[in-house]
C-alpha cells in the first residue's frame, strides 16, 4: 500500500461518504476509519466496504490520549483526515462540555500524536482538519464568508470548532506540522442523522408528524450535497497547499421556510399525496437560542486554486436524498431508537 490514511469520524454522515470515496477511488491507499460510534456513528453506513482489503475500522474515543497514541504507534498513518466531532448545534446548547471534550481535546490529542510519530520526518505527511463555516459567526442579509473573515463563533458548537481550527494552525506555526483546513457550509444527503433539519423534516413528513420550524423560518443556510463535499475533500487533500484554508460551499442559499416548502412539494409527489398535504404539517416553534441568521460561503479560492465546484443541483440533490430516506426504512428505524428518542423529547417537548 502506498499510504495509510487515518480518517476520524468515518462512521458519521460526511465521514462515511469520504471513507467510501477514498476506499473505492484509491485501492493503493490503506484507509483506517477511527470512530467512537457515538449516537451519530453508524457502521451500517459502511456495510458495502466491510470486506474490502484496503479498509479497516478501529473503535475508540479521540478524547483518550493514550488510546490515540497507541493507534498512531501501531498503524503509523501518513495522513489524517479529521472529521470526528460532536456536530449538532442544538445538542451543544444542551450539553456544551461533550463538545469541548471531543472537538477541542480530541483534536489536540490527534495533533500531538501526529507530532510524536512524525517528528523525525514530516515530509509527505498531512493533518487535514475538516471544519465549518459557523466559525465565522453570522451574516446579515448581504456579504459572504471568505477565508480571511474574522472568527466570531456564537454557539458552543461553533466555539469548539473555532478553537480546534486555532489549535491546528498553532501546531503548524509552532511545530511546523503540515496541515490543511477546510470550512464548509451545510451538508445534506443520504445517511445524515435525522436530528438535522432536512432528514428530520423528511422523517416527520413521512410519518405525518409536525415539521418544526424555529422562529419565523427566516434563517438562511448555504446547502451542499454531501457527495460534492466528499469530492472537495479529495481535492483539498491531494492538491491543497500546506498551511492553507479553503472555504467550501454550495452557492445555494435558502431561507429555511422556503426550503421546507420545496421539500414538502417533493414529498407530496413521492408519497402520492394531494398537493399541500405535507406543507400542512409545517409548524412554527420557539427559536433556537442565539440562532445565527445567515451563513453564505464565498468559494472562489477553491475554484480558482484547485478547480473544485459543486456538481449536484439542489433539486436533484434533494430528490436523491428523499428517495434514499424513503427506501431505507431499516436504517431510519435503527437510528431512531435509543438516544435519539430521548433527545427528541427533550428538544421539542417545550416548544
Ligand atoms: P456526524 O455527527 O454525523 O458524525 C460525527 C462522527 O464522529 C460520528 O461517527 C461519531 O461517532 C464520531 N465521533 C464523535 N465523537 C467522537 C469521539 N470522541 N471519538 C471518535 N469519534 C467520535 O457529523 P457530520 O455532520 O458528518 O460532520 C463531520 C465533520 O464535518 C464535523 O467535524 C463537522 O464539524 C464538520 N462539518 C459538518 C457539516 C454538516 O453540515 N454536517 C458542515 C461543515 C462541517
Ligand atoms: O453550517 C455548517 C453547519 O451546518 C455544520 O457545521 C453543523 O455540523 C451542521 O449541523 C449544520 O448546522 P445548522 O445548525 O445550520 O444545521 P441544522 O440542520 O441543525 O439547522 C439548519 C437550520 O434549520 C437552522 O437555521 C436551524 C433550523 N432548524 C433546525 C432544526 C433541527 C429548524 O428550523 N428546525 C429544526 O427542527
Amino acid at each position: 500500500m502506498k499510504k495509510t490514511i487515518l480518517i476520524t469520524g468515518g462512521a458519521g454522515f460526511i465521514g462515511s461518504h469520504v471513507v467510501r470515496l477514498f476506499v473505492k477511488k484509491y485501492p493503493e491507499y490503506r484507509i483506517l476509519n477511527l470512530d467512537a460510534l457515538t449516537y451519530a456513528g453508524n457502521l451500517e453506513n459502511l456495510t458495502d466496504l466491510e470486506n474490502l482489503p484496503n479498509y479497516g475500522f478501529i473503535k475508540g474515543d479521540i478524547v483518550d490520549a493514550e488510546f490515540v497514541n497507541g493507534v498512531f504507534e501501531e498503524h503509523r498513518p501518513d495522513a489524517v483526515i479529521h472529521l470526528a466531532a460532536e456536530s449538532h448545534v442544538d445538542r451543544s446548547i444542551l450539553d456544551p462540555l461533550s463538545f469541548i471534550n471531543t472537538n477541542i481535546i480530541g483534536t489536540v490529542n490527534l495533533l500531538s500524536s501526529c507530532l510524536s510519530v512524525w517528528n523525525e520526518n514530516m515530509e509527505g505527511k498531512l493533518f487535514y482538519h475538516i471544519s465549518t463555516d459557523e466559525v465565522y459567526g453570522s451574516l446579515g442579509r448581504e456579504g459572504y464568508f471568505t477565508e480571511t473573515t474574522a472568527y466570531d463563533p456564537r454557539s458552543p458548537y461553533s466555539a469548539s470548532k473555532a478553537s480546534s481550527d486555532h489549535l491546528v494552525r498553532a501546531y503548524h506555526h509552532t511545530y511546523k506540522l503540515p496541515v490543511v483546513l477546510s470550512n464548509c457550509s451545510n451538508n445534506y444527503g443520504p445517511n445524515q442523522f435525522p436530528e438535522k433539519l432536512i432528514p428530520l423534516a423528511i422523517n416527520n413528513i413521512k410519518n405525518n408528524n409536525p415539521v418544526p420550524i424555529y422562529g419565523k423560518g427566516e434563517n438562511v443556510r448555504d446547502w451542499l450535497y454531501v457527495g460534492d463535499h466528499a469530492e472537495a475533500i479529495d481535492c483539498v487533500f491531494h492538491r491543497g497547499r500546506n498551511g492553507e484554508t479553503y472555504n467550501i460551499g454550495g452557492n445555494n442559499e435558502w431561507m429555511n421556510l422556503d426550503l421546507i416548502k420545496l421539500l414538502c412539494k417533493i414529498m407530496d409527489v413521492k408519497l402520492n399525496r394531494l398537493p399541500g398535504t405535507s406543507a400542512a404539517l409545517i409548524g412554527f416553534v420557539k427559536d433556537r437560542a442565539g440562532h445565527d441568521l445567515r451563513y453564505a460561503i464565498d468559494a472562489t479560492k477553491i475554484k480558482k486554486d484547485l478547480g473544485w465546484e459543486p456538481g449536484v443541483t439542489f433539486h436533484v440533490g434533494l430528490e436523491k436524498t428523499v428517495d434514499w430516506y424513503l427506501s431505507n426504512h431499516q436504517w431510519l428505524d435503527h437510528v431512531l431508537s435509543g438516544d435519539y428518542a430521548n433527545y427528541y423529547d427533550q428538544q421539542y417537548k417545550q416548544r
Side-chain angles (χ1 to χ4, degrees):
M1 300 268 170
K2 218 164 98 184
K3 260 186 184 175
T4 296
I5 302 172
L6 184 72
I7 301 186
T8 70
F13 166 48
I14 302 170
S16 61
H17 288 267
V18 174
V19 166
R20 179 171 298 98
L21 177 76
F22 273 70
V23 167
K24 297 223 158 145
K25 188 168 171 185
Y26 302 107
E28 71 276 24
Y29 292 170
R30 183 162 65 122
I31 305 299
L32 296 178
N33 170 15
L34 188 166
D35 198 298
L37 300 183
T38 67
Y39 78 93
N42 184 352
L43 288 180
E44 285 182 35
N45 292 341
L46 296 165
T47 42
D48 56 319
L49 306 183
E50 265 163 19
N51 297 318
L52 295 182
N54 66 332
Y55 171 71
F57 174 69
I58 304 165
K59 183 176 186 303
D61 188 342
I62 58 169
V63 179
D64 179 347
E66 208 177 310
F67 160 75
V68 174
N69 262 323
V71 169
F72 275 72
E73 290 291 343
E74 184 181 347
H75 298 284
R76 309 199 80 81
D78 300 289
V80 176
I81 305 179
H82 176 37
L83 295 109
E86 287 293 340
S87 68
H88 190 38
V89 174
D90 292 320
R91 286 188 191 249
S92 82
I93 295 166
L94 297 172
D95 170 26
L97 198 55
S98 54
F99 286 69
I100 305 309
N101 284 330
T102 288
N103 299 359
I104 305 177
I105 309 290
T107 301
V108 173
N109 286 341
L110 290 163
L111 290 166
S112 301
S113 289
C114 287
L115 261 197
S116 58
V117 173
W118 297 344
N119 211 4
E120 307 285 292
N121 181 10
M122 305 249 198
E123 189 66 36
K125 306 292 192 278
L126 183 66
F127 185 91
Y128 179 4
H129 184 59
I130 307 297
S131 193
T132 170
D133 60 359
E134 300 200 10
V135 298
Y136 298 122
S138 180
L139 292 164
R141 298 277 169 212
E142 294 189 352
Y144 296 91
F145 297 135
T146 72
E147 288 79 1
T148 54
T149 300
Y151 273 34
D152 182 22
R154 293 146 50 99
S155 73
Y157 164 68
S158 55
S160 68
K161 291 295 290 188
S163 174
S164 65
D165 291 11
H166 289 319
L167 284 157
V168 172
R169 294 192 181 104
Y171 271 66
H172 174 68
H173 184 77
T174 309
Y175 307 110
K176 309 293 173 236
L177 191 75
V179 306
V180 68
L181 299 88
S182 58
N183 294 72
C184 189
S185 64
N186 286 61
N187 284 216
Y188 71 99
N191 308 95
Q192 187 168 30
F193 197 85
E195 63 188 352
K196 308 280 167 68
L197 179 66
I198 290 179
L200 184 143
I202 294 173
N203 184 49
N204 284 16
I205 293 168
K206 176 185 144 194
N207 295 310
N208 274 309
N209 287 329
V211 180
I213 304 278
Y214 297 166
K216 294 181 182 157
E218 287 176 346
N219 304 69
V220 174
R221 299 291 184 264
D222 171 2
W223 293 93
L224 178 70
Y225 190 66
V226 64
D228 278 337
H229 190 188
E231 306 253 350
I233 288 173
D234 178 16
C235 181
V236 172
F237 179 78
H238 288 100
R239 302 210 294 281
R241 283 185 40 220
N242 186 12
E244 292 287 318
T245 296
Y246 299 88
N247 278 358
I248 303 171
N251 306 321
N252 179 39
E253 291 182 54
W254 284 80
M255 221 182 250
N256 291 339
L257 185 56
D258 294 339
L259 184 164
I260 293 300
K261 283 181 178 166
L262 171 64
L263 184 65
C264 286
K265 281 191 186 148
I266 295 174
M267 292 293 285
D268 282 345
V269 174
K270 301 282 178 190
L271 295 169
N272 276 324
R273 292 178 178 169
L274 286 174
T277 311
S278 301
L281 295 167
I282 293 174
F284 295 91
V285 300
K286 190 170 156 224
D287 209 353
R288 172 184 281 172
H291 197 172
D292 287 339
L293 178 68
R294 176 172 164 257
Y295 306 139
I297 283 280
D298 176 347
T300 308
K301 178 176 172 181
I302 188 169
K303 183 176 175 188
K304 202 163 129 278
D305 292 4
L306 306 183
W308 176 88
E309 57 185 328
V312 179
T313 64
F314 197 43
H315 283 72
V316 169
L318 259 191
E319 278 215 34
K320 278 166 85 161
T321 305
V322 169
D323 288 342
W324 188 86
Y325 280 93
L326 293 183
S327 53
N328 283 275
H329 301 285
Q330 192 179 319
W331 184 94
L332 250 186
D333 290 347
H334 287 178
V335 300
L336 286 169
S337 56
D339 170 80
Y340 182 67
N342 301 331
Y343 161 78
Y344 196 88
D345 286 347
Q346 190 182 359
Q347 171 69 9
Y348 292 96
K349 135 182 109 195
Q350 307 292 347
R351 293 172 180 251

